[in-house]
Amino acid sequence: MSNTLKTYIAAVRATLTAAMCLENFASQHVERHNKPEVEARATPEVLLTPVVISRNENEKVLIEGSVNSVRVSIKIKQADEIERILCHKFTRFMMMRAESFVILRRKPVEGYDISFLITNFHTEQMYKHKLVDFIIQFMEEVDKEISEMKISLNARARIVAESYLLQFP
Amino acid sequence: MPTATPDVHQILWGVPVTCYAFNHDNTKVAVSADSIDVQIWARRNGAWEVESVLSQHDKLVTGVDWSAATNMIVSVSQDLNAYVWQHELSTGNWKHAMVALRTNRAATCVKWSPLGNKFAAGTGAKSICICYYDESQDLWKASHNKKHITSTVLSVDWHPDNVLIACGAADMKTRVLSAYIKSIDPKSGNPVWGDKLPLDQLCAEYKSNGWVHGVAFSPSGASVAWVAHDSTLNVSTSKDSFVTVKTGNLPLLSLLFISEDRIVAAGHDCVPYLFERRASSWELVNKLDQGPKRSVAANSAMLKFKQMDSRAQANADTELNSYHQNTITHIRPYAGAATNITHFVTGGVDGKLVVWEL
């Protein structure tokens, strides 16, 4: 299982490094405006072809690039109902605090669980290679987090059920 | 190959050098520090200090150029304006003259012509403004090259004959256009690019697979080269064909002919690369940045554990093994004749200006 993870992560890392070559680009559509072109989508020639990297049908990453911004959307593995609920709550927690996250998008792209929007202003303030490292680390750890939460949830449910049923002879 | 370590000038902290231009003897540099002002830095006693601040623009200054011939500075900005600044010797101040570019989108880049009597400003309005000084009306006028360009202009460069310009745009094409101004240019033709050259005449058009970030003419004007977002360097010596050098690296943003047969280019990889002409084609010769020599300190093991304790980081190596820590945006000549440049300077998003010796 882990041998597909390595190649998957390597592919995402290479694509992200290439997609994060951003530069300041004033809007060609509206004067005096400077918008992330991947969100505005007003100028087709500055948008790059979106790339989807899938590990399997349940886990994939969509990378949409443009001249001044890149949008990375991740679909997290959710095997059953419990994991679906946990994932939803986990990503919602983060997305509600998107402002302090800086690169997080408030709403995920359709079909995905969480999205990042990185603009040229972010790559000017932060190291590009560390931004890529952060996203890769996030992808690797979110699966672990959700499994941990599920295990502790099941443990608590078992303890509660046991102590409730103990009162019946 | 560079034998000396490059001269690193960290003039800005936490802010990119958006664009810069040195004066003719490299004692001063005009810099746009990701701001609406142009700062003029001068070297005093070995350190760089801000000598003057030119503030007239309302939005980010995207292009700055300092003419060696006339000592005038031109600055263009995303506020759709350009200003020409002249130094007054009596007061030491810079006097500005607004240039009405008559454009309705941001200006992206600017270059003085070799003689310093015209400048070309690329804009997001899919045009290039060729501006010249009208003596009779005492103001700077602009003519537009807009017939052939179909997207934002990303870079311009002048041909040594002061008439032709090369431009790279976001429509992935490089064009050689004529910037002939009837009132100030003598009638001229060009053996490579064409004889009859009215304004906005398209002399050549080349297609790439990526946005064209940088263009340059060779010192004689016989070749034109450009770098595109598909990580290639392309060189052409005729109207129809061109040679492509595919690099396996991140895209290059800027290039410079250091002689007729050698090009230095740099970009998102944060290091400059050297390309050379071999017979009829070009190839990537070398990376010119081998990285600063890290001193193998005796207490590096202690430093590692300190980092693990204070920052919970097992691997504290956030720095790249190169002089620039972020994308290099512009390469400009620093010293040497146009046919044999000995030093060049690179400015980057990390706020550094690094002078390299060849």
Side-chain angles (χ1 to χ4, degrees), chain B residues 296-327:
Chain B
V296 183
N299 53 353
S300 63
M302 171 136 154
L303 192 67
K304 183 177 164 189
F305 285 110
K306 252 191 183 164
Q307 292 265 11
M308 277 174 73
D309 174 37
S310 61
R311 291 201 215 166
Q313 280 179 329
N315 176 18
D317 210 0
T318 52
E319 284 199 0
L320 292 172
N321 187 24
S322 56
Y323 286 96
H324 275 286
Q325 293 299 307
N326 211 329
T327 307

mmCIF file of all heavy atoms in Angstrom, chain B residues 296-327:
data_model
loop_
_atom_site.group_PDB
_atom_site.id
_atom_site.type_symbol
_atom_site.label_atom_id
_atom_site.label_comp_id
_atom_site.label_asym_id
_atom_site.label_seq_id
_atom_site.Cartn_x
_atom_site.Cartn_y
_atom_site.Cartn_z
ATOM 1 N N VAL B 296 31.616 24.094 7.614
ATOM 2 C CA VAL B 296 31.268 22.908 8.411
ATOM 3 C C VAL B 296 31.642 23.221 9.853
ATOM 4 O O VAL B 296 32.764 23.046 10.285
ATOM 5 C CB VAL B 296 32.043 21.678 7.901
ATOM 6 C CG1 VAL B 296 31.614 20.460 8.674
ATOM 7 C CG2 VAL B 296 31.780 21.494 6.424
ATOM 8 N N ALA B 297 30.656 23.694 10.597
ATOM 9 C CA ALA B 297 30.964 24.126 11.958
ATOM 10 C C ALA B 297 31.089 22.924 12.877
ATOM 11 O O ALA B 297 30.454 21.895 12.692
ATOM 12 C CB ALA B 297 29.872 25.065 12.455
ATOM 13 N N ALA B 298 31.897 23.073 13.864
ATOM 14 C CA ALA B 298 32.119 21.973 14.802
ATOM 15 C C ALA B 298 30.872 21.720 15.633
ATOM 16 O O ALA B 298 30.585 20.597 16.030
ATOM 17 C CB ALA B 298 33.295 22.306 15.718
ATOM 18 N N ASN B 299 30.106 22.771 15.896
ATOM 19 C CA ASN B 299 28.939 22.581 16.744
ATOM 20 C C ASN B 299 27.651 22.473 15.932
ATOM 21 O O ASN B 299 26.599 22.879 16.380
ATOM 22 C CB ASN B 299 28.838 23.724 17.755
ATOM 23 C CG ASN B 299 28.873 25.063 17.045
ATOM 24 O OD1 ASN B 299 29.098 25.114 15.822
ATOM 25 N ND2 ASN B 299 28.663 26.135 17.781
ATOM 26 N N SER B 300 27.740 21.917 14.718
ATOM 27 C CA SER B 300 26.517 21.804 13.918
ATOM 28 C C SER B 300 25.591 20.747 14.497
ATOM 29 O O SER B 300 24.387 20.824 14.354
ATOM 30 C CB SER B 300 26.855 21.471 12.471
ATOM 31 O OG SER B 300 27.492 20.226 12.420
ATOM 32 N N ALA B 301 26.177 19.750 15.180
ATOM 33 C CA ALA B 301 25.334 18.726 15.800
ATOM 34 C C ALA B 301 24.539 19.348 16.935
ATOM 35 O O ALA B 301 23.348 19.086 17.121
ATOM 36 C CB ALA B 301 26.204 17.590 16.324
ATOM 37 N N MET B 302 25.217 20.230 17.683
ATOM 38 C CA MET B 302 24.541 20.902 18.801
ATOM 39 C C MET B 302 23.421 21.787 18.266
ATOM 40 O O MET B 302 22.320 21.849 18.814
ATOM 41 C CB MET B 302 25.575 21.751 19.544
ATOM 42 C CG MET B 302 24.970 22.662 20.575
ATOM 43 S SD MET B 302 25.905 22.635 22.065
ATOM 44 C CE MET B 302 25.524 24.207 22.749
ATOM 45 N N LEU B 303 23.722 22.467 17.123
ATOM 46 C CA LEU B 303 22.720 23.348 16.505
ATOM 47 C C LEU B 303 21.494 22.549 16.101
ATOM 48 O O LEU B 303 20.354 22.982 16.259
ATOM 49 C CB LEU B 303 23.356 24.013 15.275
ATOM 50 C CG LEU B 303 22.570 25.177 14.672
ATOM 51 C CD1 LEU B 303 22.551 26.326 15.640
ATOM 52 C CD2 LEU B 303 23.217 25.621 13.386
ATOM 53 N N LYS B 304 21.738 21.345 15.585
ATOM 54 C CA LYS B 304 20.627 20.501 15.139
ATOM 55 C C LYS B 304 19.723 20.147 16.312
ATOM 56 O O LYS B 304 18.497 20.228 16.219
ATOM 57 C CB LYS B 304 21.208 19.236 14.506
ATOM 58 C CG LYS B 304 20.155 18.302 13.933
ATOM 59 C CD LYS B 304 20.792 17.104 13.247
ATOM 60 C CE LYS B 304 19.729 16.026 13.051
ATOM 61 N NZ LYS B 304 20.281 14.775 12.600
ATOM 62 N N PHE B 305 20.323 19.768 17.434
ATOM 63 C CA PHE B 305 19.496 19.394 18.588
ATOM 64 C C PHE B 305 18.803 20.611 19.186
ATOM 65 O O PHE B 305 17.689 20.524 19.692
ATOM 66 C CB PHE B 305 20.331 18.651 19.636
ATOM 67 C CG PHE B 305 20.629 17.246 19.224
ATOM 68 C CD1 PHE B 305 21.919 16.864 18.863
ATOM 69 C CD2 PHE B 305 19.621 16.307 19.149
ATOM 70 C CE1 PHE B 305 22.185 15.569 18.452
ATOM 71 C CE2 PHE B 305 19.875 15.014 18.737
ATOM 72 C CZ PHE B 305 21.160 14.643 18.387
ATOM 73 N N LYS B 306 19.476 21.746 19.100
ATOM 74 C CA LYS B 306 18.850 22.989 19.582
ATOM 75 C C LYS B 306 17.585 23.274 18.785
ATOM 76 O O LYS B 306 16.548 23.649 19.331
ATOM 77 C CB LYS B 306 19.835 24.146 19.386
ATOM 78 C CG LYS B 306 20.451 24.670 20.646
ATOM 79 C CD LYS B 306 21.177 25.974 20.341
ATOM 80 C CE LYS B 306 21.883 26.493 21.568
ATOM 81 N NZ LYS B 306 22.865 27.506 21.254
ATOM 82 N N GLN B 307 17.721 23.110 17.456
ATOM 83 C CA GLN B 307 16.564 23.341 16.575
ATOM 84 C C GLN B 307 15.445 22.366 16.903
ATOM 85 O O GLN B 307 14.270 22.720 16.904
ATOM 86 C CB GLN B 307 16.972 23.146 15.112
ATOM 87 C CG GLN B 307 17.912 24.184 14.590
ATOM 88 C CD GLN B 307 17.180 25.303 13.884
ATOM 89 O OE1 GLN B 307 15.966 25.385 13.964
ATOM 90 N NE2 GLN B 307 17.907 26.149 13.209
ATOM 91 N N MET B 308 15.810 21.126 17.191
ATOM 92 C CA MET B 308 14.796 20.122 17.506
ATOM 93 C C MET B 308 14.076 20.491 18.793
ATOM 94 O O MET B 308 12.889 20.262 18.949
ATOM 95 C CB MET B 308 15.444 18.740 17.671
ATOM 96 C CG MET B 308 15.668 18.042 16.345
ATOM 97 S SD MET B 308 16.576 16.517 16.509
ATOM 98 C CE MET B 308 15.349 15.479 17.229
ATOM 99 N N ASP B 309 14.819 21.088 19.715
ATOM 100 C CA ASP B 309 14.219 21.447 20.986
ATOM 101 C C ASP B 309 13.352 22.696 20.857
ATOM 102 O O ASP B 309 12.197 22.711 21.270
ATOM 103 C CB ASP B 309 15.334 21.672 22.012
ATOM 104 C CG ASP B 309 14.778 22.200 23.323
ATOM 105 O OD1 ASP B 309 13.674 21.756 23.712
ATOM 106 O OD2 ASP B 309 15.423 23.057 23.940
ATOM 107 N N SER B 310 13.925 23.765 20.277
ATOM 108 C CA SER B 310 13.187 25.027 20.289
ATOM 109 C C SER B 310 12.103 25.069 19.228
ATOM 110 O O SER B 310 11.062 25.645 19.432
ATOM 111 C CB SER B 310 14.151 26.190 20.120
ATOM 112 O OG SER B 310 14.804 26.065 18.884
ATOM 113 N N ARG B 311 12.358 24.462 18.057
ATOM 114 C CA ARG B 311 11.361 24.602 16.994
ATOM 115 C C ARG B 311 10.666 23.302 16.645
ATOM 116 O O ARG B 311 9.865 23.267 15.733
ATOM 117 C CB ARG B 311 12.036 25.121 15.727
ATOM 118 C CG ARG B 311 12.493 26.533 15.851
ATOM 119 C CD ARG B 311 12.658 27.129 14.464
ATOM 120 N NE ARG B 311 13.766 28.049 14.404
ATOM 121 C CZ ARG B 311 14.297 28.500 13.292
ATOM 122 N NH1 ARG B 311 13.859 28.091 12.139
ATOM 123 N NH2 ARG B 311 15.290 29.338 13.319
ATOM 124 N N ALA B 312 10.980 22.210 17.324
ATOM 125 C CA ALA B 312 10.410 20.894 17.026
ATOM 126 C C ALA B 312 10.614 20.509 15.573
ATOM 127 O O ALA B 312 9.768 19.896 14.951
ATOM 128 C CB ALA B 312 8.923 20.860 17.381
ATOM 129 N N GLN B 313 11.753 20.925 15.019
ATOM 130 C CA GLN B 313 12.037 20.600 13.626
ATOM 131 C C GLN B 313 13.202 19.649 13.567
ATOM 132 O O GLN B 313 14.284 19.951 14.044
ATOM 133 C CB GLN B 313 12.453 21.866 12.866
ATOM 134 C CG GLN B 313 11.294 22.715 12.447
ATOM 135 C CD GLN B 313 11.781 23.961 11.730
ATOM 136 O OE1 GLN B 313 12.867 24.451 12.032
ATOM 137 N NE2 GLN B 313 11.019 24.464 10.817
ATOM 138 N N ALA B 314 12.981 18.497 12.964
ATOM 139 C CA ALA B 314 14.089 17.548 12.858
ATOM 140 C C ALA B 314 15.069 18.014 11.795
ATOM 141 O O ALA B 314 16.273 17.880 11.915
ATOM 142 C CB ALA B 314 13.544 16.173 12.511
ATOM 143 N N ASN B 315 14.524 18.589 10.736
ATOM 144 C CA ASN B 315 15.383 19.044 9.652
ATOM 145 C C ASN B 315 15.264 20.555 9.561
ATOM 146 O O ASN B 315 14.253 21.083 9.140
ATOM 147 C CB ASN B 315 14.937 18.380 8.348
ATOM 148 C CG ASN B 315 15.732 18.881 7.174
ATOM 149 O OD1 ASN B 315 16.807 19.453 7.344
ATOM 150 N ND2 ASN B 315 15.212 18.686 5.989
ATOM 151 N N ALA B 316 16.310 21.271 9.984
ATOM 152 C CA ALA B 316 16.198 22.733 10.070
ATOM 153 C C ALA B 316 16.652 23.420 8.800
ATOM 154 O O ALA B 316 16.787 24.627 8.760
ATOM 155 C CB ALA B 316 17.027 23.223 11.238
ATOM 156 N N ASP B 317 16.880 22.647 7.751
ATOM 157 C CA ASP B 317 17.474 23.243 6.559
ATOM 158 C C ASP B 317 16.406 23.869 5.668
ATOM 159 O O ASP B 317 15.879 23.223 4.765
ATOM 160 C CB ASP B 317 18.210 22.137 5.793
ATOM 161 C CG ASP B 317 19.388 22.703 5.036
ATOM 162 O OD1 ASP B 317 19.591 23.934 5.122
ATOM 163 O OD2 ASP B 317 20.087 21.931 4.388
ATOM 164 N N THR B 318 16.045 25.114 5.936
ATOM 165 C CA THR B 318 15.035 25.741 5.080
ATOM 166 C C THR B 318 15.675 26.494 3.933
ATOM 167 O O THR B 318 14.998 26.895 3.007
ATOM 168 C CB THR B 318 14.199 26.754 5.878
ATOM 169 O OG1 THR B 318 15.095 27.643 6.540
ATOM 170 C CG2 THR B 318 13.320 26.063 6.882
ATOM 171 N N GLU B 319 16.979 26.691 3.978
ATOM 172 C CA GLU B 319 17.622 27.499 2.949
ATOM 173 C C GLU B 319 17.987 26.662 1.744
ATOM 174 O O GLU B 319 18.365 25.514 1.848
ATOM 175 C CB GLU B 319 18.903 28.122 3.520
ATOM 176 C CG GLU B 319 18.600 29.278 4.422
ATOM 177 C CD GLU B 319 19.817 30.164 4.619
ATOM 178 O OE1 GLU B 319 20.886 29.860 4.053
ATOM 179 O OE2 GLU B 319 19.686 31.139 5.338
ATOM 180 N N LEU B 320 17.880 27.298 0.578
ATOM 181 C CA LEU B 320 18.308 26.637 -0.651
ATOM 182 C C LEU B 320 19.816 26.770 -0.768
ATOM 183 O O LEU B 320 20.401 27.734 -0.286
ATOM 184 C CB LEU B 320 17.674 27.336 -1.854
ATOM 185 C CG LEU B 320 16.169 27.207 -2.007
ATOM 186 C CD1 LEU B 320 15.713 28.115 -3.134
ATOM 187 C CD2 LEU B 320 15.772 25.789 -2.289
ATOM 188 N N ASN B 321 20.430 25.823 -1.457
ATOM 189 C CA ASN B 321 21.880 25.892 -1.619
ATOM 190 C C ASN B 321 22.235 26.763 -2.822
ATOM 191 O O ASN B 321 22.775 26.313 -3.808
ATOM 192 C CB ASN B 321 22.458 24.480 -1.794
ATOM 193 C CG ASN B 321 23.973 24.528 -1.779
ATOM 194 O OD1 ASN B 321 24.569 25.447 -1.228
ATOM 195 N ND2 ASN B 321 24.593 23.547 -2.409
ATOM 196 N N SER B 322 21.839 28.037 -2.739
ATOM 197 C CA SER B 322 22.175 28.956 -3.828
ATOM 198 C C SER B 322 22.190 30.349 -3.217
ATOM 199 O O SER B 322 21.708 30.555 -2.110
ATOM 200 C CB SER B 322 21.140 28.875 -4.947
ATOM 201 O OG SER B 322 19.858 29.131 -4.430
ATOM 202 N N TYR B 323 22.741 31.306 -3.949
ATOM 203 C CA TYR B 323 22.831 32.655 -3.412
ATOM 204 C C TYR B 323 21.463 33.313 -3.314
ATOM 205 O O TYR B 323 21.170 34.006 -2.362
ATOM 206 C CB TYR B 323 23.800 33.501 -4.240
ATOM 207 C CG TYR B 323 25.231 33.121 -3.965
ATOM 208 C CD1 TYR B 323 25.906 32.231 -4.778
ATOM 209 C CD2 TYR B 323 25.888 33.613 -2.840
ATOM 210 C CE1 TYR B 323 27.202 31.851 -4.491
ATOM 211 C CE2 TYR B 323 27.184 33.238 -2.555
ATOM 212 C CZ TYR B 323 27.838 32.363 -3.381
ATOM 213 O OH TYR B 323 29.111 31.982 -3.104
ATOM 214 N N HIS B 324 20.633 33.069 -4.312
ATOM 215 C CA HIS B 324 19.273 33.605 -4.238
ATOM 216 C C HIS B 324 18.389 32.572 -3.559
ATOM 217 O O HIS B 324 18.493 31.380 -3.836
ATOM 218 C CB HIS B 324 18.735 33.885 -5.649
ATOM 219 C CG HIS B 324 19.132 35.217 -6.188
ATOM 220 N ND1 HIS B 324 18.580 36.405 -5.754
ATOM 221 C CD2 HIS B 324 20.027 35.563 -7.146
ATOM 222 C CE1 HIS B 324 19.117 37.421 -6.412
ATOM 223 N NE2 HIS B 324 19.991 36.939 -7.264
ATOM 224 N N GLN B 325 17.521 33.034 -2.664
ATOM 225 C CA GLN B 325 16.657 32.109 -1.945
ATOM 226 C C GLN B 325 15.267 32.035 -2.566
ATOM 227 O O GLN B 325 14.433 31.265 -2.130
ATOM 228 C CB GLN B 325 16.529 32.554 -0.476
ATOM 229 C CG GLN B 325 17.814 32.432 0.295
ATOM 230 C CD GLN B 325 18.292 31.004 0.350
ATOM 231 O OE1 GLN B 325 17.557 30.116 0.748
ATOM 232 N NE2 GLN B 325 19.512 30.755 -0.081
ATOM 233 N N ASN B 326 15.020 32.866 -3.545
ATOM 234 C CA ASN B 326 13.724 32.833 -4.202
ATOM 235 C C ASN B 326 13.936 33.188 -5.664
ATOM 236 O O ASN B 326 15.048 33.524 -6.083
ATOM 237 C CB ASN B 326 12.772 33.804 -3.500
ATOM 238 C CG ASN B 326 11.322 33.330 -3.577
ATOM 239 O OD1 ASN B 326 10.927 32.681 -4.535
ATOM 240 N ND2 ASN B 326 10.531 33.653 -2.570
ATOM 241 N N THR B 327 12.883 33.151 -6.429
ATOM 242 C CA THR B 327 12.970 33.365 -7.879
ATOM 243 C C THR B 327 13.798 34.579 -8.264
ATOM 244 O O THR B 327 13.702 35.627 -7.628
ATOM 245 C CB THR B 327 11.549 33.586 -8.413
ATOM 246 O OG1 THR B 327 10.749 32.504 -7.985
ATOM 247 C CG2 THR B 327 11.521 33.673 -9.921
#
